[in-house]
Every structure is written in structure tokens, then in C-alpha cells.
Amino acid sequence: MWDIAATLFSVFIAVLVIADGLDRGVFSDSKAIVVVVLSIVSIILLWWRRRWPIAVALALALPTIFTDAVGGAELVAIYTMASRRSWQASVPVSVLHLAASLVFAGVFMDGEAFLSAGILSLALLSIPLTWGFVVKARREVIDSLRERAERAEAAALERADRVRGQERERIAREMHDALAHRISMVSLHAGALEVRVDADRAEIETIAATIRASAHGALDDLREILGVLRSEDDSPLMRPTSGIGDIPSIVEEVRAVGVVVDYRNDIPVNAEISATSSRTMFRVVQEGLTNTCKHAVDTAVLVRLWTADEYLRVSLTNALGTRPTEVPGAHSGLIGLTERVTLAGGRLEYGLRFCDGLPRYVLEAWLPWPG
């Protein structure tokens, strides 16, 4: 539509000028033919004005010297150039067109007509030049806003993907921490019930009660996690309430399996411990005891909590097991635990150490304190 409008405008100016010249008798037949040819060539050149705006504008400066019938095409070319190229390139070409118009006025006009023609040419050339600059500036602003919006949208999508990934990791970590210990207890007690064919009724009832309690606890934990997943609340995903005060309960659960646990809590009673550090210490002990039940159920484990300098310390130490259980595991508990301790501002170390010349497996965490 813009091309059609530009062509019609150029044809209208050419027809108007040629008709006026013929009416006033200033055009001979041969001159009229030359003007018509120059006008047609100028209008045809407009179809390439977007691809080569400066070249087309420069080419149209030449016929401007001979006739003002190409004035419509000239104005269209100036506008296109100004809207697509920098002002440093557009202004000199526009000055060249002004000079060509003045040459035409100097050849075919004189006196006051020359001055009027020069002023009119300056005014007419300034309109498309200024309009083109305005359109170019507006286009650049719109392009900048569009680019900014696209970057913002891409950043929002990336942030959403990152948040979803973090939420998935948090769900997996919480499900592992909350359920792995209880399911391990169920498996171990069920295994004991399977091999203890000579157990009396009281022992069987005790083991069965422990299995039932562990299963109910696992269901409660699972129900809590699923409830949070279904919730539309924007609050943090999981807020476990377990802390240092719950460590004795899981110690008793592990002792009921038959693991010898020496539990020592040397943290002062009046010590101020943050909820994050308390939960993290509970998770460290829980993961350590769960791994002991899986891989070293026939060994004794020392669980110790104490304060040292600016840290809360928790460690679990046991000998290497010779009778690992067949409880399956994802082998990702310590990885998730390391991340949890790091996020809490501490550090976690685990592996084999030699204590009194004997190999021991040690899981140890440092957490900030006070804090």
C-alpha cells in the first residue's frame, strides 16, 4: 500500500507539472517527451528505494536539474533515505538535491522567481527529511522495546525453568530425607521378622508394632509432602519441624533394629540454635543412621553433638560393616545432604578415617553457631 501510494503521489506531481507546462506553452513536443521519460524512469527507480535508499536518492538528483516533474519521486526518495539511514548520510544527499533544484531554478527562472523557488525547495525537502528522521527514531525505540521485551520474556522463562528445577530438587530431597529412614526401618524390621523363625509371640508383636509405627510415620510424611505439592500457597515448599529434640527418637528406632548406638549430646542446654541449624543437624543424624542400617547394621555407631569455636558440630562414627542389608537406595542421600548443609552456611565431610589405627567411617558436619 505504501508503494502504491508513493507511486500515485509521484505520478500525480508529474502529471500536474507536465499539464501545467503544456497549458502555458512552455513545453515543446520534444521537451514534453523528455520530461515524461525522466518522470517514468524516476518513478520506476522508487521500487528499489528500500534496498538502496542512498543510491536511489543520488540518482534522482540528476533529473531534478532538468525538470521539476520528478519532484514527487524526489520527496519519496528523500523520506525513505532519512527513515533508513543515518542523518550523517541523509543530510548531504538532501543538500545535493537542494543544489540541483537551485540549478534548475537558475536555468529556467530569474529574479524573484529564483529566490521563491529556492525557498520552496528548501521547505519541501525539509518536510520528508524531518519526517523520515522522526519515523526512524520511532522505529528504533520500538525495536529497542521489542528487544527488551523479548529479553525479559526469555529471562522470565529461564527463571521459571530454574525455579521449577529447584523445586523438583527440593521435593526429591525432602522425600528422601522424610521417607528413606522410615522405609529403611520397615524393611529392616520385616527382614528381622522373616529370619527370626524362633521368635516368641511377644517379640513378633514388638517387631510388628515397630513396622506399623514406621509405616504410619512414612504415610504421614508422604501425606504432608503431597499436601504441600497440592497447595497453591506461595510460601516455601517444605518447612520440616524436626530438630535436635527429635534426634533421640530416631536413635531409639535404630536401636530397636539391633544397632548399637552411643548418643552423646554435649551442646549446652541454654544454647541458642537457629531452626535451620537444628533441622540440618537432625537430617545429618537421620541420614547417617539410615546409612548405618543399610550398610553396617552389625556395627556400633557413635553419634556426638557438641560446640566448638564458632560451629555446631555433629558426627557419626562406625566401623566398616561386614553384613550390609539388601535395602535399596538411590545413592544420592549424601549428595543432597551436602547441598543442605552448604545452604545452611556449613560444610560436610564423609569417608574413611583411621581412628586408633582402625578404619572407621565418619560423617561430620560443621554448622554456624551462634546463628
Side-chain angles (χ1 to χ4, degrees), residues 283-293 301 316 318 337 363:
R283 293 304 188 191
V284 171
V285 175
Q286 184 185 52
E287 180 66 22
L289 291 178
T290 300
N291 288 341
T292 300
C293 293
V301 56
L316 292 88
N318 61 270
L337 188 62
L363 173 65

Side-chain angles (χ1 to χ4, degrees), residues 41-331:
V41 172
S42 300
I43 293 172
I44 292 175
L45 284 175
L46 292 180
W47 291 97
W48 290 278
R49 70 186 188 280
R50 291 191 182 92
R51 182 177 299 180
W52 300 296
I54 295 180
V56 170
L58 287 173
L60 289 179
L62 182 61
T64 305
I65 300 175
F66 302 100
T67 178
D68 54 353
V70 299
E74 177 187 19
L75 297 179
V76 173
I78 293 295
Y79 163 77
T80 303
M81 176 184 62
S83 65
R84 294 180 175 272
R85 294 294 183 264
S86 64
W87 67 269
Q88 293 93 334
S90 301
V91 171
V93 176
S94 299
V95 171
L96 179 62
H97 274 267
L98 179 61
S101 299
L102 293 177
V103 170
F104 170 80
V107 172
F108 297 99
M109 301 177 187
D110 54 5
E112 295 180 0
F114 172 79
L115 181 61
S116 300
I119 295 175
L120 181 61
S121 297
L122 178 62
L124 290 177
L125 290 173
S126 299
I127 292 174
L129 185 67
T130 304
W131 187 15
F133 288 157
V134 172
V135 171
K136 181 174 182 294
R138 181 176 179 272
R139 184 188 298 125
E140 290 176 347
V141 171
I142 293 176
D143 291 342
S144 176
L145 293 176
R146 183 182 294 111
E147 182 181 359
R148 187 181 304 175
E150 291 175 352
R151 287 200 305 265
E153 183 179 0
L157 292 175
E158 181 180 358
R159 184 166 55 252
D161 290 340
R162 185 169 60 252
V163 170
R164 281 194 292 268
Q166 292 173 350
E167 293 301 314
R168 292 191 187 101
E169 293 177 359
R170 192 181 303 178
I171 291 170
R173 184 169 59 245
E174 291 298 336
M175 292 190 70
H176 177 277
D177 292 343
L179 298 178
H181 176 75
R182 296 188 184 277
I183 300 301
S184 297
M185 294 299 101
V186 171
S187 178
L188 290 172
H189 282 93
L193 189 62
E194 181 181 12
V195 299
R196 293 287 301 279
V197 294
D198 58 339
D200 56 26
R201 183 179 180 83
E203 291 177 333
I204 293 176
E205 290 179 351
T206 301
I207 296 175
T210 304
I211 292 176
R212 184 179 64 240
S214 298
H216 286 175
L219 287 175
D220 290 338
D221 292 339
L222 183 59
R223 190 177 298 110
E224 177 186 357
I225 295 173
L226 294 178
V228 173
L229 291 177
R230 296 191 185 103
S231 174
E232 296 180 357
D233 188 10
D234 292 333
S235 58
L237 178 63
M238 300 296 292
R239 293 197 176 277
T241 56
S242 302
I244 293 179
D246 299 292
I247 293 179
S249 62
I250 62 172
V251 169
E252 292 303 322
E253 290 181 8
V254 174
R255 285 173 177 169
V257 181
V259 179
V260 178
V261 181
D262 183 6
Y263 175 57
R264 303 176 188 176
N265 186 354
D266 298 326
I267 297 177
V269 178
N270 59 349
E272 296 183 1
I273 302 176
S274 67
T276 300
S277 295
S278 180
R279 287 196 301 268
T280 304
M281 294 187 75
F282 173 84
R283 293 304 188 191
V284 171
V285 175
Q286 184 185 52
E287 180 66 22
L289 291 178
T290 300
N291 288 341
T292 300
C293 293
K294 289 181 180 179
H295 309 295
V297 70
D298 57 332
T299 66
V301 56
L302 170 63
V303 180
R304 185 186 176 197
L305 282 66
W306 76 102
T307 60
D309 299 328
E310 298 179 355
Y311 292 97
L312 288 168
R313 301 281 297 277
V314 54
S315 69
L316 292 88
T317 306
N318 61 270
L320 301 182
T322 59
R323 186 165 55 87
T325 64
E326 297 181 357
V327 179
H331 306 289

